[in-house]
Amino acid sequence: MKMRQWLGIIGLAVALYILWQVRQLLLLGFTAVALATAINQLVLWLRGRGLKRSVAVILSVSLMVAVLMGIFVLVVPPFAEQFQDLIDLLPDGLSQIQSGINWLEDRVLGPNFPEIPDATGFIQQLQPFGTSLVQQAADIFSNSISFLLNFLLVLVLTLMLLVNPQPYRNVFIRLFPSFYRHRIDRILTRCAHGLGAWTAGALFEMIFIGTLSGLGLWLLGVPLALAHAVLAGLLNFIPNVGPILSAVLPMVIGFLDEPWKAIAVLILYIVIQNVESYLLTPIIMANQVALLPAITLVAQLFFATSFGALGLVMALPLTVVAKIWIEELLFKDILDQWQ
């Protein structure tokens, strides 16, 4: 290799190393871009009704703030009150669980499966896991200030991108050689359309999940059905992990109200998720952004490992953008042209 080739490889390696070191900051920037792209769909719709962009931006941001405040009012105060009730009822709940385990051991597991360890040994094995959970909860609380600062940074960046996005787009395009800038501009346009289409499909699914969850929990008589429905819709934004998390709290509350309700809630959420996975998602996402389930799961694991909790939340938008760039740069511009 010639000297300039070695220098190019070294420069590329140094650039990749620097990018990896600031990956959290880059993720915050991408989060702002994704959020601005989603809100911009509403801005464009309002502009199509004859409003100026500044007015459309103000109305869109005001609507988003109102929605967030409404969600906060619906979810946080009832759950705070219910959490206190859970603390008061926790001894009775643990007693009921222990009674159920003892009955299961004496009547089913003991006579038929004597090699299975008893509940006491199993609970002792879970104690280190419980200690770890408590430590993680303390770490989350200690990082709340950092979370607030990151949230404010994302909010400011989002507003800047919404007010006048073109200069930032031009700066990014100029990072590429002049002969390739028109191509990059088209790729960015496709990324914006892909994020907008995915956002629309995700919002529809969230409303669908929230509505069915609320109706089902209301019919089962589970307390705080509306708050649980809102939480189920929001957590559906995180495939695979979100639906599991959304089912835990209504199951616990249902169990403390009537033990059979916990099983009923579990069955309800399984049915809803199967309807969404096998009926709704193929119809909605087929016309939006198609992502294979295995790719979605691998992307969640990769981004959660590399970027933490925010990486898990933003895994699908990141995957949508990565898919478009790989298709355009690697497949169309390199592999398809390789003779």
Side-chain angles (χ1 to χ4, degrees), residues 1-13:
M1 277 190 186
K2 297 180 179 180
M3 179 62 67
R4 64 175 180 270
Q5 292 175 324
W6 280 108
L7 291 176
I9 294 175
I10 294 173
L12 178 61

Side-chain angles (χ1 to χ4, degrees), residues 80-207:
E81 181 180 353
Q82 193 68 40
F83 184 73
Q84 183 61 45
D85 294 339
L86 286 176
I87 294 177
D88 297 336
L89 295 174
L90 187 60
D92 293 337
L94 293 177
S95 177
Q96 294 182 32
I97 293 175
Q98 185 63 48
S99 299
I101 293 176
N102 292 336
W103 180 88
L104 190 64
E105 286 182 344
D106 296 338
R107 302 295 181 85
V108 179
L109 298 180
N112 301 307
F113 305 96
E115 67 279 1
I116 295 180
D118 59 5
T120 303
F122 181 72
I123 292 174
Q124 290 177 351
Q125 294 176 6
L126 288 180
Q127 286 179 352
F129 179 72
T131 304
S132 176
L133 286 180
V134 173
Q135 181 62 42
Q136 291 179 11
D139 293 339
I140 292 174
F141 179 77
S142 64
N143 293 329
S144 58
I145 296 178
S146 175
F147 171 79
L148 179 60
L149 294 176
N150 290 336
F151 176 77
L152 292 176
L153 175 62
V154 170
L155 184 60
V156 171
L157 290 176
T158 301
L159 292 176
M160 290 180 176
L161 292 172
L162 273 176
V163 171
N164 192 10
Q166 195 59 43
Y168 303 98
R169 182 185 180 115
N170 293 337
V171 169
F172 181 79
I173 292 175
R174 293 196 64 182
L175 295 175
F176 296 86
S178 58
F179 70 91
Y180 205 67
R181 288 171 184 170
H182 290 293
R183 177 73 174 132
I184 294 298
D185 186 60
R186 291 195 296 270
I187 295 175
L188 290 178
T189 300
R190 189 186 167 192
C191 287
H193 291 162
L195 281 175
W198 175 82
T199 301
L203 286 175
F204 188 86
E205 289 188 349
M206 290 166 66
I207 294 173

